[in-house]
Amino acid sequence: MILKRICVVAMILAISHFSHTPHLQVTDPNSWSNASVWNHKATLWSVLHPGSEFYTSYTYGFNLEFILRKIAHISFFGLLALLIYWNLKKNSWRYVKAWVLLACFAFLDELHQAFIIGRDGRIIDVAIDSFGGALFLFLLYRYKKISRI
């Protein structure tokens, strides 16, 4: 029981670490430990007001870095969804609860990124993170259903 909780906390800390790393490049492991710098001019209103960058599409192109970054989003948040699921009590809403908790964390994670210089939080990434969670939970559901047969 305690190991399951430790795994959730470890995954949340790993995701938070990478979200807190400015100018992170998936293709450059040297950038994975950049020192973080807060944007002290940013406020919750400046990030979330209608028309802000938070609601716009990406400003960078569709290249290998972009693809790897989105695969990382789907993978990390998919694994987190499974870990959350395994920590919830068994009931009929377990999959939904796991996904909702994951989506809430994804939103907070993207909001956090909006306050880091060299990073940007986007609502589209919340959708991608949530999709990753839904995908992994669906695959678990299908696996469990097939293994019962």
Side-chain angles (χ1 to χ4, degrees):
M1 183 69 142
I2 190 87
L3 181 60
K4 291 192 297 187
R5 293 205 171 123
I6 289 170
C7 289
V8 168
V9 170
M11 182 59 82
I12 287 172
L13 290 174
I15 291 170
S16 298
H17 167 74
F18 287 118
S19 294
H20 203 70
T21 305
H23 307 290
L24 179 72
Q25 296 292 312
V26 177
T27 54
D28 180 14
N30 292 326
S31 73
W32 297 0
S33 59
N34 290 344
S36 183
V37 180
W38 284 95
N39 180 357
H40 295 288
K41 294 179 183 177
T43 64
L44 195 56
W45 176 249
S46 71
V47 172
L48 294 178
H49 79 277
S52 76
E53 185 178 88
F54 191 74
Y55 304 106
T56 61
S57 61
Y58 304 108
T59 55
Y60 36 87
F62 189 78
N63 56 21
L64 179 63
E65 177 67 28
F66 177 82
I67 293 167
L68 292 175
R69 203 177 270 252
K70 298 313 144 196
I71 289 171
H73 272 263
I74 290 169
S75 301
F76 273 68
F77 281 87
L79 289 173
L80 180 59
L82 295 179
L83 292 170
I84 292 170
Y85 171 86
W86 284 318
N87 274 279
L88 294 174
K89 290 181 182 176
K90 294 180 181 179
N91 64 40
S92 59
W93 290 94
R94 192 174 177 193
Y95 289 99
V96 174
K97 287 178 184 177
W99 183 80
V100 168
L101 289 170
L102 174 89
C104 290
F105 178 73
F107 176 78
L108 292 173
D109 181 61
E110 289 301 318
L111 185 61
H112 164 247
Q113 282 185 43
F115 288 89
I116 304 299
I117 292 176
R119 297 304 302 265
D120 54 357
R122 305 283 180 176
I123 197 73
I124 189 69
D125 279 339
V126 174
I128 291 168
D129 299 341
S130 299
F131 167 76
L135 176 65
F136 277 52
L137 289 168
F138 174 75
L139 293 174
L140 176 65
Y141 171 79
R142 291 295 297 160
Y143 172 76
K144 283 182 157 194
K145 193 170 185 174
I146 291 169
S147 65
R148 285 185 208 145
I149 296 174

